[in-house]
mmCIF file of all heavy atoms in Angstrom:
data_model
loop_
_atom_site.group_PDB
_atom_site.id
_atom_site.type_symbol
_atom_site.label_atom_id
_atom_site.label_comp_id
_atom_site.label_asym_id
_atom_site.label_seq_id
_atom_site.Cartn_x
_atom_site.Cartn_y
_atom_site.Cartn_z
ATOM 1 N N ASN A 144 9.447 -5.359 -15.480
ATOM 2 C CA ASN A 144 10.670 -4.654 -15.728
ATOM 3 C C ASN A 144 11.677 -5.548 -16.500
ATOM 4 O O ASN A 144 12.261 -5.111 -17.469
ATOM 5 C CB ASN A 144 11.342 -4.149 -14.505
ATOM 6 C CG ASN A 144 10.542 -3.150 -13.654
ATOM 7 O OD1 ASN A 144 9.527 -2.533 -14.231
ATOM 8 N ND2 ASN A 144 10.920 -2.824 -12.521
ATOM 9 N N TYR A 145 11.808 -6.856 -16.054
ATOM 10 C CA TYR A 145 12.658 -7.686 -16.790
ATOM 11 C C TYR A 145 12.173 -7.979 -18.253
ATOM 12 O O TYR A 145 12.954 -7.955 -19.148
ATOM 13 C CB TYR A 145 12.765 -9.061 -16.000
ATOM 14 C CG TYR A 145 13.637 -9.998 -16.685
ATOM 15 C CD1 TYR A 145 15.024 -9.929 -16.563
ATOM 16 C CD2 TYR A 145 13.116 -11.076 -17.370
ATOM 17 C CE1 TYR A 145 15.906 -10.806 -17.141
ATOM 18 C CE2 TYR A 145 13.971 -11.992 -18.030
ATOM 19 C CZ TYR A 145 15.352 -11.930 -17.897
ATOM 20 O OH TYR A 145 16.210 -12.735 -18.557
ATOM 21 N N ARG A 146 10.846 -8.200 -18.380
ATOM 22 C CA ARG A 146 10.393 -8.532 -19.676
ATOM 23 C C ARG A 146 10.529 -7.352 -20.635
ATOM 24 O O ARG A 146 10.904 -7.486 -21.777
ATOM 25 C CB ARG A 146 8.843 -8.900 -19.603
ATOM 26 C CG ARG A 146 8.225 -9.310 -20.962
ATOM 27 C CD ARG A 146 6.752 -9.610 -20.782
ATOM 28 N NE ARG A 146 6.057 -8.396 -20.496
ATOM 29 C CZ ARG A 146 5.156 -8.178 -19.460
ATOM 30 N NH1 ARG A 146 4.946 -9.192 -18.641
ATOM 31 N NH2 ARG A 146 4.596 -7.118 -19.262
ATOM 32 N N ASP A 147 10.195 -6.100 -20.175
ATOM 33 C CA ASP A 147 10.285 -4.945 -20.940
ATOM 34 C C ASP A 147 11.713 -4.376 -21.041
ATOM 35 O O ASP A 147 11.957 -3.503 -21.869
ATOM 36 C CB ASP A 147 9.425 -3.791 -20.382
ATOM 37 C CG ASP A 147 7.908 -4.089 -20.413
ATOM 38 O OD1 ASP A 147 7.605 -5.115 -21.131
ATOM 39 O OD2 ASP A 147 7.213 -3.415 -19.763
ATOM 40 N N GLN A 148 12.693 -4.999 -20.192
ATOM 41 C CA GLN A 148 14.068 -4.447 -20.187
ATOM 42 C C GLN A 148 14.052 -2.980 -19.954
ATOM 43 O O GLN A 148 14.988 -2.293 -20.426
ATOM 44 C CB GLN A 148 14.820 -4.772 -21.489
ATOM 45 C CG GLN A 148 14.992 -6.310 -21.693
ATOM 46 C CD GLN A 148 15.812 -6.924 -20.593
ATOM 47 O OE1 GLN A 148 16.964 -6.622 -20.395
ATOM 48 N NE2 GLN A 148 15.237 -7.908 -19.857
ATOM 49 N N SER A 149 13.127 -2.524 -19.177
ATOM 50 C CA SER A 149 12.989 -1.095 -18.840
ATOM 51 C C SER A 149 12.033 -1.010 -17.565
ATOM 52 O O SER A 149 11.204 -1.750 -17.307
ATOM 53 C CB SER A 149 12.363 -0.374 -20.008
ATOM 54 O OG SER A 149 12.011 0.942 -19.587
ATOM 55 N N THR A 150 12.293 0.095 -16.849
ATOM 56 C CA THR A 150 11.377 0.414 -15.774
ATOM 57 C C THR A 150 10.311 1.408 -16.160
ATOM 58 O O THR A 150 9.516 1.848 -15.327
ATOM 59 C CB THR A 150 12.153 1.086 -14.562
ATOM 60 O OG1 THR A 150 12.762 2.255 -15.001
ATOM 61 C CG2 THR A 150 13.109 0.084 -13.943
ATOM 62 N N GLY A 151 10.203 1.733 -17.483
ATOM 63 C CA GLY A 151 9.198 2.626 -17.975
ATOM 64 C C GLY A 151 9.242 3.946 -17.202
ATOM 65 O O GLY A 151 10.259 4.549 -17.148
ATOM 66 N N ILE A 152 8.118 4.364 -16.735
ATOM 67 C CA ILE A 152 8.063 5.661 -16.009
ATOM 68 C C ILE A 152 8.077 5.514 -14.525
ATOM 69 O O ILE A 152 7.627 6.431 -13.840
ATOM 70 C CB ILE A 152 6.851 6.513 -16.481
ATOM 71 C CG1 ILE A 152 5.528 5.757 -16.150
ATOM 72 C CG2 ILE A 152 6.929 6.773 -17.901
ATOM 73 C CD1 ILE A 152 4.318 6.594 -16.241
ATOM 74 N N LEU A 153 8.568 4.370 -13.994
ATOM 75 C CA LEU A 153 8.572 4.247 -12.513
ATOM 76 C C LEU A 153 9.480 5.298 -11.893
ATOM 77 O O LEU A 153 10.596 5.555 -12.351
ATOM 78 C CB LEU A 153 9.065 2.830 -12.189
ATOM 79 C CG LEU A 153 8.141 1.693 -12.368
ATOM 80 C CD1 LEU A 153 8.861 0.402 -12.151
ATOM 81 C CD2 LEU A 153 6.918 1.806 -11.490
ATOM 82 N N ALA A 154 8.982 5.852 -10.838
ATOM 83 C CA ALA A 154 9.758 6.904 -10.116
ATOM 84 C C ALA A 154 10.699 6.193 -9.095
ATOM 85 O O ALA A 154 10.335 5.386 -8.336
ATOM 86 C CB ALA A 154 8.783 7.851 -9.476
ATOM 87 N N LEU A 155 11.930 6.673 -9.163
ATOM 88 C CA LEU A 155 12.964 6.196 -8.243
ATOM 89 C C LEU A 155 12.608 6.483 -6.781
ATOM 90 O O LEU A 155 12.854 5.680 -5.847
ATOM 91 C CB LEU A 155 14.275 6.861 -8.569
ATOM 92 C CG LEU A 155 15.494 6.464 -7.730
ATOM 93 C CD1 LEU A 155 15.804 4.981 -7.730
ATOM 94 C CD2 LEU A 155 16.724 7.218 -8.053
ATOM 95 N N SER A 156 11.898 7.650 -6.535
ATOM 96 C CA SER A 156 11.554 7.982 -5.142
ATOM 97 C C SER A 156 10.688 6.992 -4.508
ATOM 98 O O SER A 156 10.773 6.722 -3.315
ATOM 99 C CB SER A 156 10.851 9.388 -5.197
ATOM 100 O OG SER A 156 9.688 9.287 -5.938
ATOM 101 N N SER A 157 9.769 6.320 -5.305
ATOM 102 C CA SER A 157 8.949 5.306 -4.687
ATOM 103 C C SER A 157 9.762 4.123 -4.181
ATOM 104 O O SER A 157 9.454 3.555 -3.129
ATOM 105 C CB SER A 157 7.915 4.839 -5.758
ATOM 106 O OG SER A 157 7.062 5.805 -6.193
ATOM 107 N N TRP A 158 10.709 3.786 -4.982
ATOM 108 C CA TRP A 158 11.523 2.610 -4.554
ATOM 109 C C TRP A 158 12.429 2.989 -3.361
ATOM 110 O O TRP A 158 12.621 2.179 -2.424
ATOM 111 C CB TRP A 158 12.366 2.099 -5.746
ATOM 112 C CG TRP A 158 11.619 1.403 -6.668
ATOM 113 C CD1 TRP A 158 10.949 1.803 -7.765
ATOM 114 C CD2 TRP A 158 11.293 -0.026 -6.619
ATOM 115 N NE1 TRP A 158 10.229 0.832 -8.401
ATOM 116 C CE2 TRP A 158 10.437 -0.323 -7.712
ATOM 117 C CE3 TRP A 158 11.569 -0.983 -5.797
ATOM 118 C CZ2 TRP A 158 9.939 -1.569 -7.979
ATOM 119 C CZ3 TRP A 158 11.097 -2.342 -5.965
ATOM 120 C CH2 TRP A 158 10.314 -2.633 -7.081
ATOM 121 N N LEU A 159 12.930 4.191 -3.296
ATOM 122 C CA LEU A 159 13.752 4.632 -2.156
ATOM 123 C C LEU A 159 12.942 4.711 -0.940
ATOM 124 O O LEU A 159 13.379 4.266 0.161
ATOM 125 C CB LEU A 159 14.414 6.008 -2.504
ATOM 126 C CG LEU A 159 15.443 6.054 -3.542
ATOM 127 C CD1 LEU A 159 15.954 7.397 -3.807
ATOM 128 C CD2 LEU A 159 16.634 5.172 -3.179
ATOM 129 N N PHE A 160 11.695 5.225 -1.043
ATOM 130 C CA PHE A 160 10.817 5.261 0.136
ATOM 131 C C PHE A 160 10.552 3.824 0.599
ATOM 132 O O PHE A 160 10.546 3.637 1.843
ATOM 133 C CB PHE A 160 9.517 5.941 -0.290
ATOM 134 C CG PHE A 160 8.507 5.984 0.852
ATOM 135 C CD1 PHE A 160 8.659 6.641 2.036
ATOM 136 C CD2 PHE A 160 7.397 5.151 0.772
ATOM 137 C CE1 PHE A 160 7.783 6.663 3.073
ATOM 138 C CE2 PHE A 160 6.506 5.108 1.787
ATOM 139 C CZ PHE A 160 6.643 5.901 2.947
ATOM 140 N N ASN A 161 10.378 2.885 -0.256
ATOM 141 C CA ASN A 161 10.171 1.490 0.105
ATOM 142 C C ASN A 161 11.318 0.892 0.821
ATOM 143 O O ASN A 161 11.208 -0.175 1.511
ATOM 144 C CB ASN A 161 9.756 0.627 -1.092
ATOM 145 C CG ASN A 161 8.288 0.849 -1.467
ATOM 146 O OD1 ASN A 161 7.439 1.218 -0.646
ATOM 147 N ND2 ASN A 161 7.954 0.772 -2.733
ATOM 148 N N LEU A 162 12.489 1.441 0.674
ATOM 149 C CA LEU A 162 13.638 0.992 1.475
ATOM 150 C C LEU A 162 13.708 1.637 2.870
ATOM 151 O O LEU A 162 14.012 1.035 3.808
ATOM 152 C CB LEU A 162 14.919 1.258 0.659
ATOM 153 C CG LEU A 162 15.162 0.536 -0.585
ATOM 154 C CD1 LEU A 162 16.464 0.899 -1.264
ATOM 155 C CD2 LEU A 162 15.307 -1.023 -0.249
ATOM 156 N N PHE A 163 13.408 3.063 2.853
ATOM 157 C CA PHE A 163 13.516 3.715 4.161
ATOM 158 C C PHE A 163 12.515 3.366 5.141
ATOM 159 O O PHE A 163 12.727 3.179 6.278
ATOM 160 C CB PHE A 163 13.496 5.271 3.809
ATOM 161 C CG PHE A 163 13.191 6.055 4.941
ATOM 162 C CD1 PHE A 163 14.157 6.341 5.973
ATOM 163 C CD2 PHE A 163 11.928 6.761 5.189
ATOM 164 C CE1 PHE A 163 13.909 7.091 7.125
ATOM 165 C CE2 PHE A 163 11.701 7.495 6.277
ATOM 166 C CZ PHE A 163 12.634 7.694 7.267
#
Side-chain angles (χ1 to χ4, degrees):
N144 292 351
Y145 180 78
R146 184 184 67 234
D147 295 349
Q148 295 296 299
S149 167
T150 58
I152 61 166
L153 285 174
L155 178 62
S156 62
S157 296
W158 284 92
L159 292 175
F160 175 69
N161 282 330
L162 291 175
F163 165 71

